[in-house]
């Protein structure tokens, strides 16, 4: 009971309640939160410290950035979620905070889009700058061959490289990306490779315009480090997986190459196995042991997780956030 009382005391202050609501919308830095609240950084940091101590928020440092997000585990985590659900989004203060958060996210998304717009034609060279792509691709082909999927979805398909190597192993492969420039290159690449069972479509990984349980395999290759809501992207991927379907996530292990943020629009400097496993479980997936492909200075990790079957009660729970919003579709 003591921890609950401590958490309730910590959140019983307007700015702190606003911070909890905001951090439920993604992983946010203190400077983003300061911008939204319009208060000084030391003041916001003090509030954040109290919320972390009470177990309502998680704080993690990555290079020179510090992120805050709603607590993922622990006794106060459920309370944090209940408080967020109880807050009325139409309340003028909350509505304004969310509006400002939306503006920051749009600005950030535009920066990332601009990066891919400008670098679309060089992506083939950039993607293999730090790691041996052949090794990663061979490992990925092995994983997909073992799963033997019929329908495969590639989220953040970019220039369609994953479709090129994986479409020949499935009946139907769809790639989704939010960059028109990347997709126009993907279309040329698919046509050149003669892959008639592969197509691409404009869309957002947080709101996939595809029905629930419609794919046997979902691949997210080198996309998650651009996400401000990696857990939400994983939950959305899990939604479209059939029972026993497999999610394959490929990204970097934690690293310290800060310039990838400044020069290549990365938001996260890699991911730990524990956090990826936690996000998968929360989405109703069973994580398997990850596979590390050590490189210098970057290590690539392949995480796989299987959709639980409907007889498992966590499966039903994980299906809750299941209504996809339609986004502009653009077929190959
Ligand atoms: C680093 S590229 C990787 C492309 C491809 N998976 C590969 O490995 O070659 C990341 C891709 O993710 C896409 N992306 C980023 N955020 C996205 C979002 N919210 N929805 C869909 N695509 C997104 C970008 O447009 C970009 O094409």
């Amino acid at each position: 009971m003591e921890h609950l009382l401590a958490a309730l005391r910590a959140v019983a202050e307007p700015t702190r309640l606003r911070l909890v609501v905001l951090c439920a919308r993604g992983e946010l830095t203190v400077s983003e939160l300061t911008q939204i609240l319009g208060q000084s950084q030391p003041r916001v940091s003090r509030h954040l410290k109290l919320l972390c101590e009470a177990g309502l928020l998680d704080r993690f440092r990555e290079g020179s950035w510090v992120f805050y997000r709603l607590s993922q585990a622990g006794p106060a985590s459920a309370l944090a979620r209940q408080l967020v659900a109880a807050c009325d989004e139409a309340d003028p203060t909350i509505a304004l905070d969310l509006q400002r958060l939306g503006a920051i996210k749009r600005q950030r998304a535009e920066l990332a889009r601009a990066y891919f717009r400008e670098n679309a034609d060089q992506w083939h060279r950039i993607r293999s700058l730090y790691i041996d792509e052949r090794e990663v691709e061979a490992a990925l082909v092995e994983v997909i061959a073992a799963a033997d999927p019929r329908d495969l979805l590639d989220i953040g398909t970019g220039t369609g490289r994953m479709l090129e190597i994986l479409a020949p192993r499935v009946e139907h492969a769809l790639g989704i990306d939010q960059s028109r420039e990347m997709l126009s290159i993907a279309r040329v690449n698919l046509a050149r490779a003669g892959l008639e069972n592969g197509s691409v479509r404009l869309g957002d990984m947080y709101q996939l315009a595809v029905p629930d349980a419609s794919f046997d395999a979902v691949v997210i290759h080198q996309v998650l480090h651009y996400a401000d809501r990696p857990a939400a992207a994983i939950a959305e991927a899990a939604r479209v997986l059939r029972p026993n379907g497999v999610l394959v996530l490929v990204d970097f292990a934690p690293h310290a190459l800060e310039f990838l943020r400044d020069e290549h629009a990365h938001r996260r400097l890699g991911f730990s196995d524990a956090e990826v496993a936690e996000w998968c479980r929360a989405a109703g997936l069973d994580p398997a042991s990850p596979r590390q492909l050590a490189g210098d200075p970057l290590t690539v990790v392949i995480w796989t997780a299987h959709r639980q079957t409907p007889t498992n009660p966590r499966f039903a729970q994980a299906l809750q956030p299941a209504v996809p919003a339609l986004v502009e579709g653009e077929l190959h």
Side-chain angles (χ1 to χ4, degrees), residues 35 100-113:
Q35 233 178 301
R100 288 180 178 152
L101 174 63
I104 285 180
K105 283 188 172 184
R106 278 193 298 281
Q107 198 182 13
R108 208 194 293 137
E110 183 41 46
L111 281 177
R113 268 197 293 272

Side-chain angles (χ1 to χ4, degrees), residues 5 26 37 42 70 90 106 108 120 143 159 182 187 231 235 254 261 282 291 304 308 331:
L5 286 170
L37 296 177
L70 213 59
R106 278 193 298 281
R108 208 194 293 137
V143 170
T159 55
M182 292 296 246
R187 289 192 182 92
R261 279 191 174 130
R291 179 163 172 191
T304 51
Q308 293 157 8
L331 287 168

